Amino acid sequence: MLRAFEAVARMGSMRKAADDIGVSHTVVSRHVRNLEHWMDQKLVTATPRGVVLTAAGETLVASVTRAFRIIANTTAELRPASPRAGLRIWCMPGLATRWLTPRLSDIEAAMGSVEISLRAIDRLPDFAAHEADLMIGFGRFDDLPTGARRLILPRMFPVASPAWIARNGAPADLSALAQAPLIHEESRQQWTDWFEAMGTRLSAQLRGPRLWDANLGFDAALAGQGIALVTRLTAGSEIDNGRLVEILDSKVRLGGYYLVAAPQRLGDPTLTRFERWLEDNLPRE
């Protein structure tokens, strides 16, 4: 009964809950009714938009969810390891796409029989819900998640394509750069921070589109749409082969990559091996 109720609360629908736990809609509905009868409390209310929890339902689902997570954690710890272990890695999209993906065969060779699963995403996983085994995130090193370990603090610098420079000319100084079409992520804050780190206080709003994703900004720079902020991790090969050109000389480091692992897998030899591979292969610029 509790399993059916938790699925209904999580999915917001009797039918979706039935699909989620692999039983019929009728069985889920009956379990929820029986639970309400046993508790002598109304737990859910049907609305045109789906199932809504009552106050009693909200109270119960909070405890049920915690209890299920405790059970899941305990069984995961006690269950014998699979003959083919897995490693689920979440990683910031830019690093995942531009640096980790081209090295997957190297990672697999270093990890032996471990099955690698890589997801490009910019939020921390819910380790309690077993969403991932580890996360490679990006942030300021003075404000990292609990248990995170610093990996690399890369230099961040502006680049543009040769085609864009041929049309517009390379900005000669910071003042000219501030007036150029800059490629932003979800806000203009990163570029603003970069200029401040370079000792320039902006007197006007920066120009350029907001693309909400580092990969989109990177591709826009390659396509000659403006100037983007990159690191050697994400743009090293394109700089080396001449598809992108560094503009001005800078040593700004706005944040760094860190690694945080699921608490239940701390000390796991598989994670330790992957961390060692990162240490051996991350560039130090």
Side-chain angles (χ1 to χ4, degrees):
M1 289 187 295
L2 288 172
R3 185 178 176 219
F5 167 70
E6 186 276 337
V8 169
R10 178 163 41 83
M11 305 301 292
S13 159
M14 294 284 185
R15 292 193 181 279
K16 289 180 180 178
D19 292 339
D20 184 66
I21 62 177
V23 297
S24 72
H25 164 262
T26 304
V27 170
V28 169
S29 181
R30 184 173 67 248
H31 280 325
V32 172
R33 286 199 310 272
N34 288 344
L35 182 61
E36 289 179 324
H37 178 75
W38 184 79
M39 297 194 68
D40 195 23
Q41 292 274 357
K42 186 69 174 172
L43 301 175
V44 301
T45 301
T47 73
R49 291 184 151 187
V51 173
V52 175
L53 297 180
T54 65
E58 293 280 5
T59 300
L60 179 61
V61 78
S63 296
V64 169
T65 301
R66 284 196 301 271
F68 281 178
R69 284 180 178 172
I70 291 170
I71 293 169
N73 289 342
T74 302
T75 54
E77 290 172 5
L78 295 177
R79 188 171 58 242
S82 161
R84 182 169 172 77
L87 185 63
R88 295 165 301 158
I89 304 166
W90 281 20
C91 183
M92 296 298 290
L95 187 69
T97 303
R98 307 291 175 183
W99 192 81
L100 271 181
T101 299
R103 292 166 175 79
L104 279 177
S105 58
D106 295 338
I107 296 173
E108 289 175 337
M111 299 299 293
S113 61
V114 175
E115 186 173 285
I116 302 296
S117 171
L118 175 62
R119 181 178 180 183
I121 189 168
D122 62 358
R123 72 167 176 86
L124 283 171
D126 183 347
F127 289 127
H130 301 279
E131 286 188 327
D133 298 311
L134 61 89
M135 170 74 185
I136 302 175
F138 185 88
R140 295 187 178 275
F141 277 178
D142 58 358
D143 186 28
L144 296 182
T146 303
R149 189 167 70 79
R150 300 176 181 185
L151 290 175
I152 182 173
L153 190 68
R155 184 172 67 93
M156 189 170 288
F157 51 89
V159 296
S161 71
W164 187 92
I165 294 173
R167 288 196 311 268
N168 302 278
D173 52 31
L174 291 171
S175 177
L177 179 61
Q179 297 174 38
L182 306 177
I183 297 169
H184 306 271
E185 293 185 25
E186 59 186 277
S187 76
R188 294 182 168 84
Q189 191 60 51
Q190 189 176 67
W191 267 109
T192 300
D193 292 345
W194 186 87
F195 276 105
E196 289 184 358
M198 289 290 288
T200 298
R201 196 160 196 77
L202 299 170
S203 57
Q205 183 170 309
L206 298 171
R207 298 168 53 201
R210 289 183 296 157
L211 300 182
W212 292 84
D213 181 88
N215 279 320
L216 287 174
F218 186 93
D219 289 337
L222 281 173
Q225 299 303 303
I227 303 172
L229 281 174
V230 301
T231 69
R232 286 287 304 182
L233 276 169
T234 56
S237 62
E238 285 75 13
I239 292 170
D240 291 342
N241 64 29
R243 296 179 67 201
L244 290 174
V245 177
E246 182 173 354
I247 294 174
L248 302 179
D249 182 37
S250 61
K251 293 181 171 58
V252 173
R253 301 174 191 270
L254 292 180
Y257 290 98
Y258 62 84
L259 184 146
V260 59
Q264 59 268 31
R265 293 203 63 172
L266 290 176
D268 187 316
T270 300
L271 264 69
T272 301
R273 196 152 69 246
F274 179 69
E275 289 182 41
R276 190 177 303 119
W277 182 89
L278 284 175
E279 290 173 355
D280 292 342
N281 288 275
L282 281 171
R284 292 301 155 191
E285 184 189 357

